[in-house]
Amino acid sequence: MVKENEVAAMEIEGPKQNDSDQINPRYTINVLQLLKSAQMQHGLRHGDYARYRRYCTARLRRLYKSLKFTHGRGKYTRRAVNESTVTEVRYLHLVLYTAERAWSHAMEKRQLLDGPNAKQRIYLIGRLRKAVKWADLFSRLCAAKGDSRTSLEAEAYASCMNGLLLFEQDRNWDTALKNFISARAVYEELGKYGDLENQVLCHERVEELEPSVRYCRHKIGESNLKTSELLQIGEMEGPALDLFKAKLEAAMAEARSQQAASLTEFHWLGHRFPISNAKTRVSILKAQELEKDLHGPAADSLPVEKKLAVFDKIYTAYQEARSFIRSDLASAGDADSVKDDLNGLDKAVGAVLGQRTIERNQLLVSIAKSKLARRRDDKNEKVTKPEELVRLYDLLLQNTGDLSDLVSSGRDRKPEDVAFSEDCVLHGVAFRAQRCFYLAKSYSSAGKRTEAYALYCHARSLAENALKKFETTMDTDEAMTKELKTLYNECRANSCIEHATGIMEDEKAPENLSKKISTISLSGVEKKAEKFLVEKLDVYESAVGESNVKSVPCIGVFPPAFQSIPRNPIVLDLAYNCIDFPSLENRMKKDKMGFISRLWR
């Protein structure tokens, strides 16, 4: 597929009309389409810049070899690409893929786990400079040898590379803005012409360049972008935005490190725990910023998928904080006061992490309940079964038990800790009632009426006990109270339904049994309305059925029915016992005996 795109991109524009066109042919390259297909098929669909760089290297090797444009054997002799050298379109591909190789190498260094250090950053900027150099050469060659559209695309490509270099260097934001704006303008114009695929690619490129333009204006001071708007821009996808997202993440990390200097204490249940490690402060501050997205005013409009992603980031941040705290505990030595503070901080962070885990599992429960209420989703997604909700409530029971044990542990238990532990136990009772209700649903769907009725009654008693306990507490959880009231009513209704259904099935049991007995045949084969393939060989009709319907193929009866067949007659020889047969001893062979054997005879 790549070769087809490359062949299509290397077509020479139009037939030769005059002598000047024959001497200086104008080449056509669909730069954006060529690069997009190569990037998506060789690693950048998943952000693998190392794989794309290897592809560019292999592609360059094939081009050099096919053009016989190698740099000599043994001693390296550089051969430059200029206007006189470009005698076919593949020379332009040489320059383009060299720029892409340098750019992908720079982006590979940008994706290092802990970020590029000072030496690696110098190397990264050097590779970007190399990419800019080859992109400018590609633009000049296309202006001299390519048609007007190819020249425009090459110019936009070179402008993007220049803007990325200045973007990474954190300087000359006005020049970077001009480069990005000029590239965007070119792609906007090119998006008005050509086939539909090319128009879509140009519009996507314009959308990818828009965040870089807005960020440059923000750095210059021409726009008043808020931090939340920058984060929304950073959530966009695309290879052109990877450098922008890395820059934004670095800026956010620097801002967090500056803001973390003021975070000296961690507050939890009225306790204050000092934070001495700077890395712990940054991790806790990152988690607290993410928690604002979940509990802020815009939390209701946030999609479910993004909420789950935010919960995962919160979990990672708190786990990092706990790892830093435990490393400090290992290096604390014999200082008891420092150890007590660190143990208390670890306990508080673990308790907050447990709370967020319970909230995440409750969100999963709400998603599963919404899918349980409808039979089939619009997107043909899998429908939730009651067993899945039982498993989720098992997780919630385990989470509340672990959180209660964590809070109740320790030597000095304060009233706030005791109240929090009791609240965890109370929520555990509510979760147990919900679990029992959906377990009864699973038994009901299996046709076990007695077990389902008993479980519905038990769930109703658990819900009633939990409601009484919630009403006696000072801080009433209104959402949980409303949910328990709904659960109590549903348990009562479903128990009545199961009781009535069980009685009806018992009444109809003899009738059903008689119907089943009446259909039994001595041959062991039930009569079917439809015929099998072996019975209608003279009719052209499918016996397998449609491909989208799961049905048993009607080819023949298996196992085949028993058939009566004749057997061989039984012969009884009654005269055998009444016949006197003659003696045959005189005809039998006698053994020869020796002299000694005769004496003993």
Side-chain angles (χ1 to χ4, degrees):
M1 188 174 180
V2 179
K3 292 182 179 179
E4 293 177 0
N5 293 329
E6 291 174 354
V7 170
M10 292 191 294
E11 293 178 355
I12 299 176
E13 186 186 37
K16 299 179 181 178
Q17 297 176 355
N18 49 36
D19 295 338
S20 62
D21 289 342
Q22 291 179 6
I23 297 172
N24 297 317
R26 313 295 291 183
Y27 302 112
T28 298
I29 303 176
N30 295 327
V31 179
L32 189 58
Q33 184 178 355
L34 178 68
L35 293 181
K36 194 71 174 180
S37 61
Q39 289 174 0
M40 291 297 104
Q41 294 181 28
H42 296 92
L44 292 199
R45 187 186 298 273
H46 309 289
D48 191 354
Y49 287 96
R51 180 185 167 193
Y52 182 61
R53 179 172 65 89
R54 290 193 297 269
Y55 165 74
C56 292
T57 303
R59 178 68 182 148
L60 285 171
R61 187 183 298 113
R62 291 194 299 269
L63 285 171
Y64 277 119
K65 190 173 181 180
S66 63
L67 290 170
K68 298 181 180 179
F69 196 69
T70 55
H71 300 288
R73 288 179 174 271
K75 185 178 179 181
Y76 176 80
T77 305
R78 181 178 178 80
R79 300 180 67 181
V81 181
N82 48 37
E83 294 181 13
S84 61
T85 309
V86 180
T87 56
E88 58 175 297
V89 73
R90 286 182 293 174
Y91 286 99
L92 297 178
H93 282 241
L94 272 177
V95 182
L96 178 61
Y97 279 107
T98 307
E100 282 289 291
R101 180 176 63 176
W103 168 76
S104 58
H105 199 178
M107 297 302 295
E108 181 185 352
K109 293 296 181 184
R110 166 55 71 185
Q111 280 191 325
L112 292 175
L113 185 60
D114 296 330
N117 53 30
K119 187 175 180 181
Q120 291 169 342
R121 179 173 166 76
I122 293 172
Y123 183 77
L124 184 152
I125 294 175
R127 297 306 298 170
L128 280 178
R129 283 199 182 100
K130 188 74 71 174
V132 168
K133 172 188 171 183
W134 287 101
D136 290 338
L137 177 60
F138 178 68
S139 177
R140 292 196 302 271
L141 292 176
C142 288
K145 294 289 185 177
D147 59 356
S148 57
R149 184 184 179 88
T150 304
S151 177
L152 280 175
E153 286 199 55
E155 184 181 351
Y157 179 75
S159 298
C160 287
M161 284 296 176
N162 281 281
L164 288 176
L165 175 61
L166 297 174
F167 197 92
E168 178 62 29
Q169 289 178 335
D170 284 336
R171 64 180 187 184
N172 297 334
W173 291 104
D174 51 351
T175 309
L177 179 62
K178 290 177 183 177
N179 284 309
F180 286 131
I181 288 176
S182 64
R184 185 184 63 178
V186 170
Y187 287 121
E188 284 177 350
E189 289 298 321
L190 292 176
K192 299 177 182 178
Y193 310 101
D195 56 355
L196 181 61
E197 182 181 1
N198 184 74
Q199 292 179 15
V200 170
L201 288 176
C202 289
H203 287 307
E204 288 179 357
R205 191 67 172 174
V206 170
E207 292 178 358
E208 290 176 355
L209 289 172
E210 184 63 27
S212 300
V213 172
R214 295 177 66 185
Y215 188 76
C216 289
R217 285 177 175 170
H218 172 69
K219 296 296 288 186
I220 294 172
E222 295 181 1
S223 65
N224 297 322
L225 280 178
K226 298 180 181 179
T227 307
S228 59
E229 295 177 356
L230 288 175
L231 290 174
Q232 290 177 1
I233 296 172
E235 291 176 357
M236 299 174 64
E237 298 293 335
L241 293 171
D242 287 344
L243 186 62
F244 171 77
K245 288 191 285 188
K247 181 67 66 178
L248 182 61
E249 185 63 29
M252 294 298 294
E254 184 178 356
R256 285 194 198 102
S257 61
Q258 293 176 359
Q259 190 178 355
S262 60
L263 184 66
T264 57
E265 292 179 342
F266 184 74
H267 300 271
W268 178 71
L269 288 183
H271 306 294
R272 294 183 178 181
F273 303 98
I275 308 173
S276 57
N277 193 343
K279 293 182 179 179
T280 308
R281 294 176 184 173
V282 171
S283 299
I284 292 176
L285 185 64
K286 181 179 179 181
Q288 289 177 349
E289 287 179 357
L290 292 169
E291 287 174 350
K292 292 178 183 177
D293 296 337
L294 292 176
H295 302 102
D300 296 334
S301 61
L302 201 65
V304 176
E305 293 80 7
K306 289 188 176 180
K307 283 185 179 180
L308 292 174
V310 171
F311 272 118
D312 293 339
K313 292 178 181 178
I314 291 173
Y315 186 82
T316 304
Y318 276 127
Q319 285 290 357
E320 287 179 356
R322 294 192 77 181
S323 65
F324 293 139
I325 292 169
R326 288 173 181 177
S327 62
D328 292 339
L329 270 170
S331 60
D334 298 331
D336 294 336
S337 60
V338 176
K339 282 188 174 182
D340 290 340
D341 292 338
L342 289 174
N343 283 321
L345 180 61
D346 183 53
K347 178 180 176 180
V349 172
V352 175
L353 181 60
Q355 287 178 288
R356 300 298 167 261
T357 306
I358 291 174
E359 291 176 3
R360 181 183 182 276
N361 289 335
Q362 284 180 317
L363 179 61
L364 291 175
V365 166
S366 64
I367 297 170
K369 284 182 179 179
S370 65
K371 290 183 179 180
L372 182 69
R374 53 179 182 266
R375 291 188 176 181
R376 178 62 60 185
D377 198 3
D378 298 336
K379 298 180 181 179
N380 292 327
E381 294 180 356
K382 186 178 178 181
V383 180
T384 304
K385 294 181 180 179
E387 292 83 357
E388 298 178 14
L389 281 162
V390 172
R391 182 183 60 83
L392 288 173
Y393 277 111
D394 282 333
L395 290 175
L396 283 169
L397 287 170
Q398 183 179 357
N399 294 332
T400 51
D402 294 342
L403 184 57
S404 177
D405 294 340
L406 178 64
V407 175
S408 60
S409 63
R411 293 172 294 180
D412 300 329
R413 295 184 61 189
K414 295 185 178 180
E416 296 86 358
D417 300 343
V418 175
F420 188 83
S421 179
E422 291 177 354
D423 186 65
C424 290
V425 173
L426 186 56
H427 278 79
V429 175
F431 294 147
R432 189 173 288 108
Q434 295 272 9
R435 179 188 179 278
C436 189
F437 174 77
Y438 287 104
L439 187 61
K441 271 188 171 297
S442 65
Y443 274 100
S444 176
S445 60
K448 298 180 179 181
R449 306 298 174 191
T450 307
E451 293 85 350
Y453 175 77
L455 286 169
Y456 278 130
C457 294
H458 185 56
R460 185 177 66 178
S461 63
L462 288 173
E464 186 178 4
N465 293 333
L467 272 173
K468 291 180 181 178
K469 291 181 180 178
F470 268 107
E471 290 173 357
T472 57
T473 57
M474 298 296 294
D475 299 330
T476 305
D477 192 348
E478 295 181 358
M480 185 62 72
T481 304
K482 184 178 179 181
E483 191 174 352
L484 285 172
K485 288 181 180 178
T486 306
L487 178 67
Y488 180 82
N489 295 329
E490 287 183 357
C491 288
R492 184 178 179 182
N494 281 283
S495 61
C496 294
I497 292 172
E498 291 298 322
H499 191 193
T501 308
I503 293 174
M504 292 171 62
E505 289 179 354
D506 290 340
E507 292 290 334
K508 291 182 179 180
E511 183 181 353
N512 294 333
L513 184 61
S514 62
K515 285 182 179 180
K516 290 181 180 179
I517 292 173
S518 63
T519 58
I520 295 176
S521 61
L522 297 176
S523 61
V525 180
E526 296 181 359
K527 295 182 180 179
K528 293 187 178 180
E530 55 185 348
K531 293 184 178 180
F532 292 97
L533 179 62
V534 295
E535 299 174 359
K536 52 180 181 179
L537 295 176
D538 55 338
V539 180
Y540 186 77
E541 184 178 348
S542 174
V544 179
E546 299 180 0
S547 60
N548 58 350
V549 178
K550 293 183 178 179
S551 59
V552 180
C554 301
I555 298 174
V557 180
F558 186 83
F562 290 103
Q563 296 179 1
S564 58
I565 59 173
R567 60 160 299 166
N568 295 329
I570 300 174
V571 179
L572 300 177
D573 195 352
L574 301 177
Y576 181 81
N577 296 327
C578 301
I579 296 175
D580 293 333
F581 294 98
S583 178
L584 300 177
E585 291 183 359
N586 56 349
R587 296 186 180 184
M588 292 176 64
K589 186 178 181 181
K590 296 182 179 180
D591 295 334
K592 293 182 179 181
M593 303 179 65
F595 175 75
I596 298 175
S597 60
R598 289 177 187 172
L599 293 176
W600 292 101
R601 187 175 179 181

